[in-house]
Amino acid sequence: MHVYLIRHAQSENNALSPENIHQRKVDPGLTELGYRQREALGDFLASEAQSFAIDHLYTSAMYRSLLTTEPVCAALNLRPRVWLDLHEKGGMFLRQNGRVDGFGGLSRSVITSQFPDYLLPDAITDAGWYDAALGYEPEAHSAFRAIKVANELIKRSRSEEVIAMVSHAGFLDTLLKAIFGQLPSQAYSMRYYHNNTAITRVDFDGRRPILHYLNRVDHLPPAMRSY
């Protein structure tokens, strides 16, 4: 089994500087550069469709990931499935006035209206999909999600499936650590970093995972690469 881990395109929050971080959004969309990055990603996957041979496409429920997935599913002629455990570390939160508030995320009706071809789990309701009571998701909780996803991949590892997953820099770092048995670990003591729309490939041969390549961005010209 081959798994392609893809980070979303540049989000509005990614483009914020330390001076304007107070403008951070709970669930940002993409920047103008982000839209160009996602189109370049889609064009690349379409041109290499036979070599990638992706069977299943998954995305997190965060808006930047849903948007990034659009040209990918068009390129691959696949209906993406939302996998809730792929969301970014920290969840849906906003720090304001000395407190941290949690938010439910996009509702089922909003997602189905803007992304009608996406397959949604029943857990996405008109109240959203994130447990707002969590506020900022604890580190241990995101590690638990990563282990769940890694275990699901390992369970399927003897198949001939080729899977692509659109997710987030922090979660992809934790997921790779889960896949390679590096959890628990101190947060960011080391990191597998991904540029926007970067592709990482992990192969499973039924016995062990193999990191085939990490943070591939050759589908983007240098001027379009961002962190």
Side-chain angles (χ1 to χ4, degrees):
M1 182 176 74
H2 304 321
V3 178
Y4 294 99
L5 306 176
I6 304 171
R7 186 188 174 195
H8 62 79
Q10 186 188 61
S11 75
E12 295 167 304
N13 286 352
N14 292 154
L16 294 177
S17 67
E19 290 73 28
N20 59 11
I21 194 67
H22 63 280
Q23 298 176 8
R24 180 188 179 277
K25 296 181 178 180
V26 175
D27 199 9
L30 301 180
T31 63
E32 185 274 334
L33 173 60
Y35 278 102
R36 289 192 287 128
Q37 289 172 338
R38 75 167 196 166
E39 296 305 321
L41 173 66
D43 290 344
F44 172 69
L45 292 175
S47 68
E48 300 289 334
Q50 287 189 330
S51 60
F52 279 91
I54 294 169
D55 302 307
H56 305 286
L57 176 61
Y58 298 93
T59 177
S60 95
M62 287 180 159
Y63 191 42
R64 54 199 183 273
S65 184
L66 297 172
L67 287 170
T68 301
T69 302
E70 280 188 302
V72 176
C73 64
L76 302 176
N77 195 29
L78 292 173
R79 294 189 68 187
R81 185 176 296 275
V82 173
W83 191 338
L84 292 181
D85 284 326
L86 299 184
H87 74 76
E88 180 59 302
K89 294 172 64 173
M92 300 293 295
F93 73 94
L94 194 63
R95 291 188 175 95
Q96 50 191 356
N97 302 320
R99 56 182 282 178
V100 177
D101 295 313
F103 296 84
L106 294 176
S107 69
R108 188 177 194 90
S109 58
V110 168
I111 296 175
T112 55
S113 174
Q114 186 165 350
F115 306 98
D117 292 331
Y118 288 32
L119 301 170
L120 309 184
D122 293 339
I124 302 179
T125 69
D126 279 336
W129 54 269
Y130 182 71
D131 182 2
L134 276 177
Y136 184 86
E137 179 190 38
E139 184 74 25
H141 196 280
S142 58
F144 173 71
R145 285 192 292 112
I147 291 169
K148 281 176 60 183
V149 174
N151 285 343
E152 177 61 27
L153 295 175
I154 291 167
K155 187 189 304 182
R156 297 164 64 172
S157 65
R158 291 186 179 276
S159 74
E160 298 298 319
E161 295 175 301
V162 180
I163 295 172
M165 306 163 72
V166 181
S167 186
H168 307 263
F171 185 72
L172 291 177
D173 164 62
T174 306
L175 177 57
L176 284 168
K177 290 171 182 172
I179 289 171
F180 290 103
Q182 296 171 329
L183 293 179
S185 65
Q186 184 177 350
Y188 303 124
S189 56
M190 61 83 64
R191 192 172 188 186
Y192 297 102
Y193 203 79
H194 291 79
N195 289 26
N196 293 121
T197 69
I199 304 171
T200 287
R201 175 175 157 178
V202 179
D203 294 349
F204 294 82
D205 63 2
R207 295 178 295 124
R208 65 195 185 283
I210 301 164
L211 183 61
H212 194 75
Y213 54 74
L214 176 73
N215 197 35
R216 179 179 179 182
V217 289
D218 51 307
H219 56 283
L220 298 177
M224 284 177 59
R225 296 173 188 174
S226 62
Y227 296 93

